[in-house]
Amino acid sequence: MRPIAQATLDRLAELFAQDVTSAAAARAVGISKSTATAYRTRLGFPPAPPRSAANRSTLTLEQKWRTYTRAAEGGHLEWTGRHRADTGVMVMTHHGREYTARRVAFLVRTGREPEGTVTAECDHLGCVAPACVEDEPGRTRARGQLAAVLGLATPLTECGRGHATANHRRYDRDGHPYCGACRALTDARKAAA
Ligand SMILES: [Zn+2]
Ligand SMILES: [Zn+2]
């Protein structure tokens, strides 16, 4: 266990006596959570009681999500919430669970969980407007319609490697068709190289 100053130890004991969580006590005195937890046990304090329902956000998932959005021109919405440090994905937490901003946007519009990745199909960078997001099937449908309008839709029932068009046809944002199964293979090969 990391040695800490007597004053810090006294302060910790005070906080634990008030049922403050180890994480909050650690923040208050500037030590790591694991160190605070170790001292909690050594000082003989039981784990902090779970946060009461009254301490949880009273906002619904959608209401909390809205507090992290900012209206942009043209009906688009920008995200003012958190980004995952490693991937930059826009995220939020509600009642202890993490959600991506676009998953919630999709839920808000459709009332159901998305299938596959949710993307914004508009040109507004970082948009999270419910009207602008699509899941995998919705995106394929919308882009397929664009491809048809542009005369880019393919009449083939399978790709050169034999993947069925009905299951694997996907489209770029500009409506150009490609085989999703073949692209997944190429991506996997690139990742392995
Ligand atoms: Zn948008
Ligand atoms: Zn293919």
Side-chain angles (χ1 to χ4, degrees):
M1 203 181 311
R2 261 231 179 120
I4 54 176
Q6 186 60 45
T8 306
L9 193 61
D10 293 346
R11 179 77 187 120
L12 273 182
E14 234 174 80
L15 291 165
F16 292 151
Q18 294 161 18
D19 281 339
V20 169
T21 64
S22 298
R27 275 197 302 276
V29 303
I31 59 175
S32 74
K33 188 187 161 196
S34 57
T35 303
T37 305
Y39 277 101
R40 172 172 224 121
T41 310
R42 179 192 255 191
L43 291 167
F45 288 98
R51 297 173 72 190
S52 70
N55 281 341
R56 285 156 67 94
S57 171
T58 55
L59 300 180
T60 64
L61 175 61
E62 178 178 347
Q63 285 169 338
K64 191 169 181 191
W65 175 86
R66 293 226 175 260
T67 66
Y68 296 125
T69 63
R70 175 174 60 209
E73 225 173 300
H76 303 285
L77 273 189
E78 291 169 356
W79 188 244
T80 61
R82 208 155 54 78
H83 292 245
R84 248 184 230 150
D86 49 353
T87 55
V89 173
M90 301 175 281
V91 289
M92 62 172 284
T93 306
H94 184 251
H95 292 178
R97 283 181 66 191
E98 191 181 68
Y99 297 83
T100 70
R102 284 177 174 153
R103 174 180 165 200
V104 180
F106 186 86
L107 274 166
V108 166
R109 190 183 82 231
T110 67
R112 65 174 177 85
E113 286 289 338
E115 288 175 49
T117 319
V118 181
T119 56
E121 291 295 288
C122 65
D123 290 325
H124 193 91
L125 191 70
C127 186
V128 296
C132 296
V133 298
E134 285 290 0
D135 68 350
E136 180 75 64
R139 183 162 56 246
T140 299
R141 209 163 38 241
R143 292 181 181 184
Q145 285 162 3
L146 173 66
V149 168
L150 298 176
L152 296 169
T154 170
L156 301 176
T157 57
E158 55 183 46
C159 79
R161 285 202 184 89
H163 301 127
T165 302
N167 295 330
H168 298 293
R169 180 63 58 214
R170 297 288 182 271
Y171 301 88
D172 286 332
R173 291 177 74 98
D174 57 7
H176 284 97
Y178 66 89
C179 174
C182 286
R183 178 154 311 175
L185 288 173
T186 311
D187 289 349
R189 208 170 297 138
K190 265 190 219 149

